[in-house]
Structures are given as structure tokens and as C-alpha cells.
Amino acid sequence: MKYRKVLQNLFLIRKTEELISKEYHKNIFRCPVHLSIGQEAISAAINFVFNSKDLAVSSHRAHAHYIGKGGNIKNMFAEILGLKGCSGGIGGSMHLTDKSVGFISSSAIVGNSIPVGVGLSLSQKMENKKNLTLIFFGDGATEQGVFFESVNFSALKNLPTLFICEDNKYSVYSSLSVRQPENRDILKVVKKMGIEAIEADGNNIFQVIKTYQKAKKYIFSKKKPFFIKFNTYRYVEHCGPYDDDNLNYRPKKEIKRWKRKCPISFFSNYLVKKNIMKNKQIVALEKEIENYIHNLYKNSKNYPRPNFSTTKKLIYNEKSR
Amino acid sequence: MKNPVKFKTAINLALQRALKKDKDILLMGLGVGDPKNIFETTTGLQEKFGKKRVFDVPCSENALTGICVGYGLKKKAILTHQRFDFMLLSFDQIINNAAKIHFMYGGNLQSNITIRAIVGKGWGQGPTHSQNFQAMLGSVPGLKVYFPFNSNDIFNILYHSIFDPNPVIIIEHRWLYELESKIKFQKKIKSVEKVSSGNKGTIVCIGNTVLDAYILKKIFSQKKIKFDIIKILSINPLKVDMIAKSVKKTKNLILLEPTHKSMSVSSEILARVHTSGVLFRSKIISNEEMSVPTSFYLSDKVYPQIKKTVKIICNFLSINSKFDTSKYSYKLHDIPNKNFRGPF
């Protein structure tokens, strides 16, 4: 295992999100942001198992998936700054794309990108190549009709789809208890619909990688879709840069427990304990990544502003006709 | 090939031509490949192009639309709804995804998706099998919306839409399916077409009301009264230049609206022609302002019947309303031809 690279990936996501969080009060990121602080391991592991021909779609909380898939961070900063970024300043934080690395799209409507991912995996199946589509969504999306419709279709057609549910227990402020009957187990539901499903600790990157490997092997050997539920937790508010635990919608004990399970501390502690890296080296790497991200951010501010009349011309695609 | 062909056959021919040209095109929808084959529009296609490319689907209109959007990012997909009403389930995917995908990602993505939506009428289709929210679709930026009238229209519109990198919705009216006309391959789709000339007024018609316009033409020719008849084919984008030009000449604008009047395509045309600076009088002839009841004894009051339409036009133009409409008045208002027995 490339330990340093794994840690680097974790820091890339954490430092990007922290920078947005720190800079947000300056009112230059003039759009909603849904940060993934606390949920990094699920994304940091992507490129250790999947390649750029494996495609990915995501939800409103997409920064981590975009970065984990190898998306251009400078283009993302520019996009959130309202400059001519990865989506021309039109999509903003919730609508990211970087086709060059297979990160196709993310959507601001809960569940909306799930069938799009299934459609992409349908095209992959038709091509008969060994590639799949990763679909990232939250626990809230598993309450949408379109989720079940998509699972049903993928199972029916035996598509190379990897459904990845990041269960962070809350849909904005609404806990699972107000949204789902007590004994609803999404793994059982999905299994009964014909899709193999497993649960894993989303804050333990070893488990994440192992689960991805298992899923990939299953999808290509059995020629069937796969479903993963990663348990995880977000550390800042649903939308925005700040801690909102003063609102008391999450039990204090729960917050404490999950903060002890920070995916980055967990991995760093392991590296130190196993004498793979020294604490000093980890701190140095963290600083290095922080500077790297800061430079990307600084450069992204030099991107041009989007032009209104060329933006308007994008409403219809007149190019290829 | 026999030409003229029926509207439903023209659909089949356009689909065949497209499926043959590009082997990555998928054709799906509830009823595709079943014994009825979407009112015979997809007959023989599964046998010809295989079950992998032409297939029936689960009752999941919204997901299927998203799946076609995803598939359309790489290749091309055609989705069929046997009723426009069923397509309402997929408006999240149509509006939040398909219509915006090119725009929202800065021109980096495009999705080739063509959606067929069939509008029902008569034989008790009732409140949820006879709706056509064409104006709603007309208000969505990024969508293309067509409402073809004859075999040639649908043949060319459907074929070219499949290869259009923009999302296209094609509204098909069930009552046009058995009508025959000649088809000829065109290199481009017309968005509006003048089908008759005259000075007495300008009649604007869309989809199924084009049929009414042709009937009106015949009726008014009894007294040698002639109209400019303009057929709208594209609802989104909507172009009114030709209409404005005609109205400048005729000063009278009669709009045959296929749905009800409120927030309609006709009222939009009226507003646009008005703001173009032309002075004219106008009349919209439309359905009653309501959902269509199922009962045979109620539905005739909702749709404008030809006799009443003639009367309205005569009043509007201040001319004597003595015309023989008997030949064109349906004895049974709820069927398009005497052989039609629905069920839908």
C-alpha cells in the first residue's frame, strides 16, 4: 500500500475543504457549499482501486468525490469563486465536472444523479469493456423513488454499477428517526431487489479500499451491480462553512464519538504506531499539502470571469450540428 | 416503399432509419416490443435490431429519463411515453438534468435524448390521459419541443431529433396516427410552415389543430374566403416572425390552441406578435378551461367542435355564418374515425 499517497489524498480533500471554510467569511465564495470534512476516506480511496475510465457521478456534497477521482482542484476553486471554472461558472459548487478523469457530473437535487450513473453504466455494458460507474449519494437519497427505480433497472439489466451510499445520518437537520421506520435496513432492501450489498466503516480507509476492491471484483466476475453503505459523519454544518452544533440537532455524545473516529487521525495514528511514518513527517506532509492547496487557490483567483453573452449561447448546443 | 404512409408508419420508418444509421442508439419505453408496439409505431424493430437495443422497460418514468440522459452522454437514446400524462413523473430529470446538462456544466457535457410523448383524446381518456402541457415545456430553456402534424413532419422531426445533441421532446397526437401523407427526407427540420395563403385572416395551428385548420379551409372556401394558415412545428424555441408578417397583411389573427387558453402557446404567440408592433385583432379558440371529464356526455363540451368554431370565426370577422359544416362535423365527437375503438 502506498501509505504516503493515501495520506496525501486525505489531506488534499481536508485542506481544500478547510480552505473554503476559512475563506468563506470573506464572502468571495458566493454560493452554497456542502463540505465533506469528516467524510474524506471514502473519496481518498477511489483512485487506489478505480481508473479514469471508471466513471463517477455525485450529489450536492461533491467536492471530495471530484478531488478523489483526480479532478482539477484549481478549476473547482474557480468554479466556486464564480469564475470560469470547471463548469464555466454556471454550475457552482454543486455542479462539478472533469471528464478527463471520469468525474462526469454532480447534482443539487437529491437522488437526481443516480439514474444518470446507471445510464452511464448501461453505455459501459454496451461497450463490453471492463469499466464501471461509481454513484455517490447520501442516506437521504435512499428515500427517493428514483433511487429504487435505478436499483431495479441496474439489477434487471445486470449493469456494472457501484452504488455508494455515504450514510452521515442526517438530511440537513433531519435525523434518520424522522425519515425512516426504525428497522428499515437499506442493505436488506437492496439485497431483496437483487443487488449484493455490504456495509463498512467509511472513516477507516483500509476498510474503504478493501470494500471497493471486493465490489469491483464482484461487479466484473458476476457481471452484476453492487451496493455499499459507508457509515460516516460530517463535522461541519450541512450547507456552509461553520460548526452548527449549537443548534443541538445532533446528540453531543454522538458528535464526540464520531470526532474521535476522524479518518485522518485514524490513518495518521496507524502510520505512527506501525512505524511507517513519523509524526514529524506527517505534520510536514500536511503543511506541504496545505501550501500546495493554498497556491492552487491563489492561482484560481486569476481565472477570467465568465462572459454573459457566451454563457447564454450555451443554453442550446449548436456545435455539432 | 408505398408512399403516402400513415403517421404511425412514418414514426416506424424514422426509427428504423436512425437505428440502422447508428448502432449505439437505444429505443426504450413501456410497451416497446409488446404485442401492440406503441400503437404500431415500433412494430418489427425489436426483431430487426435486437432486444439489447429495442426494449420494454420497468414502470419508472423518472429513472428511465435519467438513464437515457446518462446513456445519452456517451451515445443516443430514444424514450417513449404512451401518454404525455405519464411523462409528468419524469419532470425532475427533464427539467433539472436533460434541459440543463449542456448549459450547467459550461458546455462540457451534452446528452442525446429524444422523448416521444403521446397525447390522447376521446374514448373516455378523461382527466389524466388527455393532457398536453406543451406550454410548460415551452418555458424550459434548453429543451427542444416539437409537435408534428403529418407523416412528413414526424418522419423528419423524429429522425433529426435523434441526432440532435440537445434533448428533444416530440408531442404526438393520437388522432393523427391513421392519417396518410407523403414523406420525403429533408436535410433540416422546419420550425414553422405556411401551408395555405389568403387575405381574410391568419390562422395559426399546432399539432392536432392543423387538421381543424384544413377543415376550416375547406368550409370557408364555400364562399371563396381564404386565410393564411401557419403551422407551428417547434414550440421550443418558438418563432413568430412568419406569423407577425402574415398578420401585418391580414390584420386578423385566429389561433387554434390544442389545449386550454391560460398560459398557453397561443397566448404566448399573441403576446409576442403584439409586442412586435403589429396592430391586429385576435381570437383564441381552445378547449374549455378545465381538465377533460371522462364521460361521453361531457367531453364534447370541452373540445371546440367544428360547427361552433366556424361560428366563432364568423362572428370575429363579422361575416355571415351560413356555412355547410355537416360533412365535417363528427356524429360521435370522441373518435377520430369510425373504426376507432380505443381503448386508448
Side-chain angles (χ1 to χ4, degrees):
Chain A
M1 193 173 179
K2 297 164 186 161
Y3 294 102
R4 195 184 154 85
K5 189 87 183 69
V6 172
L7 189 60
Q8 199 174 309
N9 271 10
L10 284 165
F11 278 138
L12 273 178
I13 300 167
R14 175 69 58 97
K15 294 299 153 190
T16 301
E17 298 289 67
E18 281 181 353
L19 186 141
I20 295 167
S21 174
K22 277 179 202 151
E23 292 283 298
Y24 206 81
H25 74 277
K26 293 183 182 165
N27 301 328
I28 41 175
F29 289 114
R30 303 184 77 85
C31 80
V33 288
H34 302 78
L35 303 180
S36 285
I37 299 173
Q39 306 183 201
E40 295 92 342
I42 297 157
S43 298
I46 297 173
N47 275 354
F48 294 101
V49 185
F50 306 104
N51 63 46
S52 65
K53 288 205 171 125
D54 293 319
L55 307 175
V57 297
S58 170
S59 66
H60 52 285
R61 198 177 306 286
H63 300 177
H65 307 131
Y66 175 94
I67 298 168
K69 196 79 179 69
N72 184 310
I73 298 174
K74 230 169 20 169
N75 291 352
M76 185 182 98
F77 276 137
E79 186 62 30
I80 309 173
L81 285 164
L83 301 173
K84 215 170 165 196
C86 62
S87 300
I90 302 166
S93 159
M94 292 188 276
H95 305 103
L96 305 174
T97 183
D98 189 341
K99 277 197 295 185
S100 67
V101 296
F103 186 89
I104 302 300
S105 65
S106 63
S107 164
I109 311 290
V110 175
N112 170 288
S113 57
I114 299 175
V116 176
V118 173
L120 287 167
S121 60
L122 176 62
S123 76
Q124 287 168 321
K125 176 160 178 157
M126 300 291 282
E127 281 166 1
N128 258 330
K129 284 185 190 146
K130 260 200 158 182
N131 290 112
L132 52 79
T133 301
L134 304 134
I135 307 178
F136 293 97
F137 49 90
D139 43 302
T142 68
E143 290 149 19
Q144 292 280 11
V146 79
F147 165 73
F148 293 98
E149 295 181 9
S150 301
V151 164
N152 182 66
F153 188 84
S154 184
L156 176 75
K157 297 282 174 189
N158 297 315
L159 301 182
T161 321
L162 178 50
F163 295 93
I164 302 156
C165 173
E166 288 185 19
D167 184 353
N168 68 13
K169 334 271 175 254
Y170 293 85
S171 174
V172 190
Y173 303 120
S174 309
S175 67
L176 284 168
S177 66
V178 297
R179 290 160 34 219
Q180 296 177 12
E182 208 177 328
N183 294 320
R184 193 191 98 150
D185 179 352
I186 193 65
L187 298 173
K188 279 188 189 160
V189 175
V190 165
K191 273 186 186 172
K192 288 281 181 193
M193 290 178 77
I195 293 192
E196 186 53 32
I198 53 173
E199 185 171 10
D201 181 353
N203 285 21
N204 175 337
I205 197 153
F206 297 110
Q207 266 206 40
V208 175
I209 292 175
K210 226 167 76 189
T211 311
Y212 281 156
Q213 283 165 338
K214 196 171 166 185
K216 186 178 172 178
K217 203 177 149 200
Y218 180 93
I219 288 170
F220 293 132
S221 63
K222 305 269 183 190
K223 299 201 183 315
K224 279 179 175 183
F226 199 88
F227 180 99
I228 302 169
K229 184 178 97 166
F230 285 126
N231 292 304
T232 187
Y233 209 69
R234 73 174 146 74
Y235 289 175
V236 295
E237 58 192 326
H238 157 72
C239 178
Y242 308 116
D243 180 316
D244 65 350
D245 289 331
N246 57 317
L247 298 174
N248 289 323
Y249 66 99
R250 305 195 291 192
K252 288 209 164 58
K253 266 191 182 165
E254 183 185 276
I255 298 168
K256 230 173 158 181
R257 179 157 50 87
W258 277 100
K259 287 211 170 156
R260 274 202 305 272
K261 279 171 64 73
C262 167
I264 298 181
S265 322
F266 168 82
F267 189 62
S268 306
N269 290 343
Y270 176 88
L271 296 179
V272 173
K273 215 167 104 191
K274 297 273 172 185
N275 271 328
I276 300 163
M277 275 176 91
K278 292 202 168 67
N279 202 30
K280 220 166 70 186
Q281 289 172 304
I282 292 172
V283 173
L285 181 65
E286 181 175 3
K287 193 71 206 158
E288 187 191 310
I289 302 283
E290 195 173 344
N291 290 337
Y292 171 72
I293 294 292
H294 193 82
N295 274 330
L296 292 181
Y297 172 60
K298 225 171 79 187
N299 291 333
S300 74
K301 286 187 186 166
N302 298 326
Y303 274 49
R305 289 182 183 180
N307 172 286
F308 185 71
S309 59
T310 47
T311 298
K312 260 193 102 174
K313 284 191 188 122
L314 294 173
I315 297 171
Y316 288 98
N317 181 4
E318 303 296 349
K319 263 182 305 195
S320 48
R321 287 205 301 149
Chain B
M1 188 191 78
K2 182 180 153 273
N3 202 357
V5 299
K6 285 184 175 177
F7 188 93
K8 63 182 181 190
T9 315
I11 294 173
N12 193 287
L13 291 170
L15 292 171
Q16 269 193 56
R17 193 180 174 124
L19 286 160
K20 210 165 145 186
K21 188 178 171 188
D22 181 343
K23 64 174 178 36
D24 287 330
I25 295 174
L26 297 186
L27 167 63
M28 62 184 96
L30 273 172
V32 170
D34 78 3
K36 297 278 177 81
N37 267 298
I38 323 272
F39 315 115
E40 295 168 40
T41 59
T42 61
T43 306
L45 300 181
Q46 197 168 56
E47 292 78 359
K48 209 165 189 170
F49 300 100
K51 284 184 177 173
K52 274 192 177 163
R53 295 184 58 200
V54 179
F55 54 88
D56 208 337
V57 295
C59 297
S60 308
E61 285 82 358
N62 197 28
L64 260 305
T65 307
I67 288 162
C68 286
V69 170
Y71 186 82
L73 286 165
K74 299 269 165 197
K75 306 170 196 302
K76 299 175 184 71
I78 311 158
L79 180 64
T80 298
H81 300 289
Q82 296 182 73
R83 280 293 177 269
F84 190 114
D85 317 62
F86 310 159
M87 183 172 66
L88 296 175
L89 286 158
S90 64
F91 267 35
D92 169 47
Q93 288 300 328
I94 291 174
I95 298 171
N96 287 322
N97 253 344
K100 300 181 170 47
I101 210 147
H102 182 259
F103 179 69
M104 193 158 64
Y105 301 96
N108 289 308
L109 302 178
Q110 66 169 50
S111 184
N112 278 62
I113 164 170
T114 306
I115 303 172
R116 295 173 53 205
I118 301 163
V119 178
K121 183 183 175 182
W123 204 266
Q125 295 303 292
T128 60
H129 272 55
S130 62
Q131 301 175 94
N132 171 9
F133 288 108
Q134 54 177 18
M136 210 194 284
L137 297 176
S139 73
V140 182
L143 268 189
K144 289 194 178 178
V145 182
Y146 294 102
F147 195 171
F149 163 66
N150 61 30
S151 306
N152 195 50
D153 297 338
I154 184 67
F155 177 73
N156 285 290
I157 286 172
L158 179 55
Y159 180 80
H160 287 295
S161 296
I162 294 166
F163 294 96
D164 192 324
N166 297 283
V168 184
I169 296 182
I170 300 172
I171 302 169
E172 298 168 9
H173 198 280
R174 183 72 181 90
W175 279 26
L176 303 174
Y177 268 44
E178 300 298 323
L179 300 183
E180 266 190 353
S181 65
K182 273 199 170 171
I183 57 169
K184 192 181 172 220
F185 185 75
Q186 298 162 350
K187 281 194 174 153
K188 267 178 85 177
I189 299 175
K190 288 180 189 166
S191 57
V192 55
E193 191 183 353
K194 193 171 178 178
V195 294
S196 191
S197 295
N199 289 315
K200 194 70 190 172
T202 303
I203 295 179
V204 173
C205 45
I206 313 167
N208 52 311
T209 68
V210 181
L211 192 57
D212 300 333
Y214 277 115
I215 292 170
L216 291 171
K217 181 184 170 179
K218 281 185 187 160
I219 291 171
F220 281 97
S221 73
Q222 291 166 13
K223 290 185 186 168
K224 296 203 167 57
I225 294 171
K226 285 182 177 173
F227 297 95
D228 266 1
I229 300 178
I230 296 174
K231 170 170 76 174
I232 301 281
L233 290 166
S234 166
I235 289 168
N236 192 1
L238 180 68
K239 288 178 185 156
V240 301
D241 313 18
M242 188 188 279
I243 300 168
K245 205 176 148 195
S246 164
V247 173
K248 205 172 169 185
K249 175 185 78 177
T250 66
K251 307 288 180 214
N252 291 310
L253 176 58
I254 298 156
L255 299 124
L256 305 181
E257 170 61 38
T259 72
H260 50 253
K261 213 182 308 184
S262 291
M263 312 288 160
S264 65
V265 172
S266 294
S267 53
E268 175 67 20
I269 292 170
L270 188 56
R272 288 201 203 178
V273 176
H274 180 74
T275 49
S276 76
V278 186
L279 289 174
F280 62 100
R281 297 170 67 248
S282 65
K283 190 83 198 167
I284 298 177
I285 297 168
S286 69
N287 294 357
E288 283 294 317
E289 213 62 45
M290 63 196 288
S291 296
V292 183
T294 302
S295 167
F296 177 81
Y297 309 105
L298 294 168
S299 54
D300 63 327
K301 315 280 191 308
V302 177
Y303 298 110
Q305 306 300 326
I306 207 75
K307 202 173 158 184
K308 200 175 140 197
T309 301
V310 170
K311 219 172 184 175
I312 293 169
I313 294 174
C314 290
N315 274 340
F316 171 65
L317 297 172
S318 308
I319 55 173
N320 190 312
S321 63
K322 271 195 182 148
F323 286 92
D324 179 12
T325 60
S326 58
K327 207 173 139 196
Y328 307 103
S329 297
Y330 300 105
K331 277 195 193 92
L332 297 168
H333 71 273
D334 70 336
I335 47 173
N337 58 62
K338 64 179 190 314
N339 298 321
F340 190 88
R341 286 295 173 273
F344 70 103

